[in-house]
Amino acid sequence: QPLPMVSPSAALRASQWVSLGFSTGMLYFPTKMMEAYKAETFEGDAATLFTFALGIFGLQLFLSSMMAAAMARDAVPKHVQSLSCFCQGLGWLFFALNDGALYARGLWPHAMPPESLQVNLGIFVALAAICFSGWAEGGYEVPDMGVLPEGRPALPLVVACANLLFFGVGCAFFTEAFVDLFLPGVLQSLPAPTTSARGFFSTKEVPAGPLEGAPPLLLLIFANAGKCILVNIASLLSIASVGDETVAYRLLRVVSLANVFYLGMFSREGVLAVATGWPSPMRLSTFVQCFGTTYYCCASFAGMPFTLLQEGRKAK
């Protein structure tokens, strides 16, 4: 008996709401979220930096949620919805394999109990299955490799992806050095307690004991945030490769809203720098880069005399 198929729009809605749930916890209730996971919580500067890292990760999950919501609308062509399901499914599957592999290799942070990881893996695999079902129901659409976005939204969408790429590569592949570039000396200044039941302040190389260095859970959050950025870039460009100018416009609108959201976070980080006294040598260059990208994207999509098809009603 074959399993019932899920429509592409329903699969995207499921992914949308789960991503939104994770991002809400990370952005607005980080400590309560960690307590729900039964994870050890930080204190002092470590708690501040942990909240900062979760905010970056949460923003990317928020972007993923908005992408799913934008592509789930009735007016979006079914083949585009199919590919969107494929991208969302790959994202969930990637993080299931990524986190599961860390645990299997003994590199999972001791601050996060295995039971919480298992819950996450179950959610990720279930969402991947739902999204792949929507992908199949929509016709197994795949990206048109090498094809860039079309029409007037093309250039600002590519610029937005290029802006994200800098942060994605840095966080994902050069995690500790990249954090140190923006917050020099902060990771090294975090306290190393004399006791820790699960090696909370241990390093990746020696995952036990009261050692100097960054808590591995912090590094994991920063690294996974970078990987989520890269997944979002791949999804944006993949979806745009099979869509028309209207699809590219929808994606540009989503990215622009996420960028505006980040500028609000960036303003908050200024308060954080003053309150903690942390050095922030990259603040001016980051502002110029991100504000310039955001202004260009918003001015581009707002200045286009573009009319989207009416949503929510079927033509008679």
Side-chain angles (χ1 to χ4, degrees), residues 223-285:
N224 277 2
K227 293 169 186 176
C228 193
I229 292 173
L230 298 178
V231 168
N232 282 341
I233 294 171
S235 298
L236 285 165
L237 296 179
S238 295
I239 296 168
S241 74
V242 302
D244 57 10
E245 187 181 52
T246 301
V247 170
Y249 178 83
R250 292 179 187 275
L251 293 173
L252 175 60
R253 187 170 61 171
V254 164
V255 171
S256 299
L257 293 174
N259 284 345
V260 170
F261 189 98
Y262 173 69
L263 287 181
M265 293 177 60
F266 188 79
S267 176
R268 178 202 63 176
E269 291 164 11
V271 178
L272 186 68
V274 172
T276 59
W278 290 346
S280 51
M282 297 291 289
R283 183 163 180 81
L284 178 59
S285 61

Side-chain angles (χ1 to χ4, degrees), residues 1 10 20 60 84 101 107 112 120 156 191 199 258 277 291 298 302:
Q1 187 77 15
L20 183 61
Q60 293 308 309
S84 300
L107 297 177
M112 181 76 73
N120 265 10
F291 181 83
C298 290

